[in-house]
Amino acid sequence: MNASVVLFTADLRLHDHPPLRAALDGSREIVPLFVRDRTVDRAGFAVPNRLAFLADCLRDLDAGLRERGGRLVVRSGDLVEEVCKVAAEADAGAVHLAADVSGLAQRREERLRRALEADGRRLQVHDAVTAAVPAGAVTPAASDHYAVFTPYFRQWSRRPLRDAVAAPRTVRVPDGVGSEPLPGRDRLSGVSRGLAAGGETEGRRRLAAWLRTGIASYEERHDDLAGDATSRLSPHLHFGTLSPIELVHRARRAGGPGAEAFVRQLAWRDFHRQVLAARPAAATADYRTKHDRWRTEQTAAEDIEAWRTGRTGYPVVDAAMRQLLHEGWMHNRGRLLTASFLAKTLYVDWRVGARHFLELLVDGDVANNQLNWQWVAGTGTDTRPNRVLNPLAQAKRYDPDGTYVRRWVPELERLAGSAVHEPWKAPAPDRAALGYPEPIIDLADGLDRFRRARERG
């Protein structure tokens, strides 16, 4: 058996790819394989925005492999069955795979291991491919994971990282292993009009630009809604077109407060992954229950619809939700304040919001999405579970002159400066002419309901 299979999942790149490097070091020929897993489809994760970005990534990966003499093999179906078929076709002795943390990924990995061993083949799982520090690599003395970020970050920061691995120069693929056609985003419907392009080439272009012009000011500007001063690299981290280890190394080489703040955000990503790896049920169940009696989709249907469509009457909330609809992406500060508005001001079950985000976000990652929603809802790792983000205060702090709101809520563009955040203060005839809804709830009433609910819990 002189061949190996490299199973690409959330690591769709050639630079800094340890499974690919290990396979090339151990075999004369390799099969770079991606399986469109029907289990993922049935679980509801195959949504238009991520499928479109994925199509870009697979096409770019195939192009990179062809430049090196290889090609990408694409199959559809049950992942375990398809991997075993390809391994048999190539007479491969080993399959190389990056470790993942979700319950679905852990179950799938174990099934694959058993199936390959039954065929006389082995599965080699590689850590530190989709995370800078693998889940379980740093743990407190009395637990299998850290439940609070600050002590985790201290240990995370002290852990040495492996060096980034160079992209291969040559890839040889055995003859006789067939592939389905590569998918294309042009065949998809329901894709957000402003969705960014995917692929490693685009990811590395964005990274170079970010290191050149954005990272230095990140600490002071990352919450500026209108300034759009975040890296926008999260989709590339989600699909693995960029390596988190390479990002940490390059940010640290850049140095300065902005780079330190950016590395801290990468650590938050690893923090959530180690929580989910240890507690897979946290994808759907409260990590730390407050015994909330949430309003459901049935009891709060009108409020939820107003939130989803950006018609709550609170301009900064509506601007962020409309950005999500248009781009399949949302500024991080927007994610926090819209989630707080749904879970705490409207007192709607956090799972309703988390599911909506996963239906649209191109970077919709189970660990980050679900655990950030739980953090905001006060059922997760937040040490202040009852904090409520006031959307009006948030707007005046992070969009002081209303530029972000006017960008996404054009009905209000005639309101100058910070007045755009309180359209209900305009004279009644002017308000009617705006065509913008009145607030669906008084903030004080929402806060009172939430506090009373938590007291009962």
Side-chain angles (χ1 to χ4, degrees), residues 93-383:
V95 173
H96 294 263
L97 169 69
D100 204 349
V101 298
S102 71
L104 186 152
Q106 292 180 50
R107 293 189 298 272
R108 189 173 64 181
E109 178 188 312
E110 185 54 35
R111 284 180 55 223
L112 180 58
R113 186 186 305 280
R114 291 198 303 266
L116 289 171
E117 288 177 351
D119 288 343
R121 312 179 202 280
R122 63 186 174 86
L123 177 66
Q124 186 170 342
V125 179
H126 299 260
D127 286 326
V129 179
T130 60
V133 174
V138 293
T139 56
S143 178
D144 56 357
H145 72 289
Y146 279 94
V148 178
F149 176 73
T150 300
Y152 172 81
F153 182 57
R154 283 197 294 266
Q155 295 302 317
W156 185 95
S157 299
R158 293 171 186 155
R159 184 177 173 84
L161 304 182
R162 62 168 178 79
D163 293 333
V165 179
R169 295 182 178 180
T170 304
V171 176
R172 294 177 55 190
V173 180
D175 295 332
V177 180
S179 174
E180 298 173 4
L182 291 168
R185 70 157 64 192
D186 56 330
R187 302 169 191 168
L188 295 166
S189 61
V191 177
S192 292
R193 287 175 293 175
L195 185 72
E200 183 178 15
T201 301
E202 174 64 13
R204 297 190 73 78
R205 184 196 67 78
R206 281 185 174 269
L207 173 60
W210 166 246
L211 293 172
R212 186 173 61 252
T213 63
I215 197 169
S217 60
Y218 179 72
E219 183 187 37
E220 61 195 57
R221 298 189 61 212
H222 69 276
D223 277 322
D224 178 1
L225 284 163
D228 197 18
T230 62
S231 72
R232 286 189 175 248
L233 296 177
S234 55
H236 294 280
L237 283 164
H238 174 65
F239 284 91
T241 55
L242 290 175
S243 156
I245 278 184
E246 183 181 0
L247 263 61
V248 172
H249 282 315
R250 295 184 67 174
R252 285 174 172 169
R253 285 199 296 271
E260 292 172 6
F262 180 63
V263 168
R264 186 179 178 89
Q265 292 305 309
L266 295 171
W268 265 106
R269 180 174 180 271
D270 283 0
F271 172 75
H272 287 147
R273 292 173 68 85
Q274 58 97 38
V275 172
L276 188 65
R279 300 291 183 270
T284 55
D286 288 350
Y287 179 77
R288 290 173 174 159
T289 185
K290 299 300 177 185
H291 304 288
D292 287 291
R293 300 177 181 86
W294 300 110
R295 299 169 72 209
T296 66
E297 287 183 277
Q298 292 71 38
T299 59
E302 290 186 6
D303 285 352
I304 294 169
E305 182 63 15
W307 177 81
R308 285 174 173 158
T309 56
R311 300 284 295 171
T312 68
Y314 288 95
V316 74
V317 172
D318 294 342
M321 295 304 294
R322 294 186 195 187
Q323 181 182 27
L324 174 61
L325 287 167
H326 181 77
E327 295 189 354
W329 185 88
M330 189 195 293
H331 191 288
N332 183 61
R333 176 54 53 177
R335 299 186 198 206
L336 291 173
L337 66 91
T338 56
S340 178
F341 187 82
L342 183 76
K344 288 179 171 171
T345 303
L346 297 180
Y347 199 56
V348 170
D349 193 329
W350 64 265
R351 282 158 282 248
V352 174
R355 185 170 65 251
H356 179 70
F357 271 29
L358 282 180
E359 289 171 354
L360 289 170
L361 283 173
V362 64
D363 60 7
D365 179 272
V366 172
N368 264 351
N369 187 67
Q370 307 304 87
L371 291 171
N372 270 320
W373 266 96
Q374 291 225 46
W375 188 92
V376 172
T379 62
T381 61
D382 189 6
T383 55

Side-chain angles (χ1 to χ4, degrees), residues 382-421:
D382 189 6
T383 55
R384 292 171 52 199
N386 292 334
R387 82 172 83 204
V388 177
L389 300 182
N390 181 302
L392 188 55
Q394 293 279 302
K396 291 181 176 179
R397 181 174 181 182
Y398 299 116
D399 186 33
D401 63 0
T403 300
Y404 178 75
V405 164
R406 278 184 289 273
R407 182 182 303 158
W408 294 107
V409 188
E411 307 98 292
L412 302 179
E413 62 186 2
R414 287 178 288 170
L415 297 180
S418 62
V420 76
H421 297 307

Side-chain angles (χ1 to χ4, degrees), residues 58-80:
L58 295 179
R59 286 178 174 270
D60 189 70
L61 180 58
D62 179 67
L65 287 165
R66 289 184 184 277
E67 289 174 0
R68 293 161 172 82
R71 60 189 171 90
L72 181 64
V73 173
V74 176
R75 299 287 180 91
S76 299
D78 178 81
L79 181 136
V80 173

Side-chain angles (χ1 to χ4, degrees), residues 6-13 17 20 32-35 61 72:
V6 179
L7 178 59
F8 288 87
T9 53
D11 49 353
L12 303 177
R13 63 181 185 268
H17 198 287
L20 179 60
L33 173 65
F34 180 84
V35 177
L61 180 58
L72 181 64

Side-chain angles (χ1 to χ4, degrees), residues 29 235 353:
E29 297 179 317

Side-chain angles (χ1 to χ4, degrees), residues 5 82-92 116 119 121 177:
V5 174
E82 294 302 320
V83 172
C84 289
K85 287 179 186 177
V86 169
E89 291 170 19
D91 195 24
L116 289 171
D119 288 343
R121 312 179 202 280
V177 180

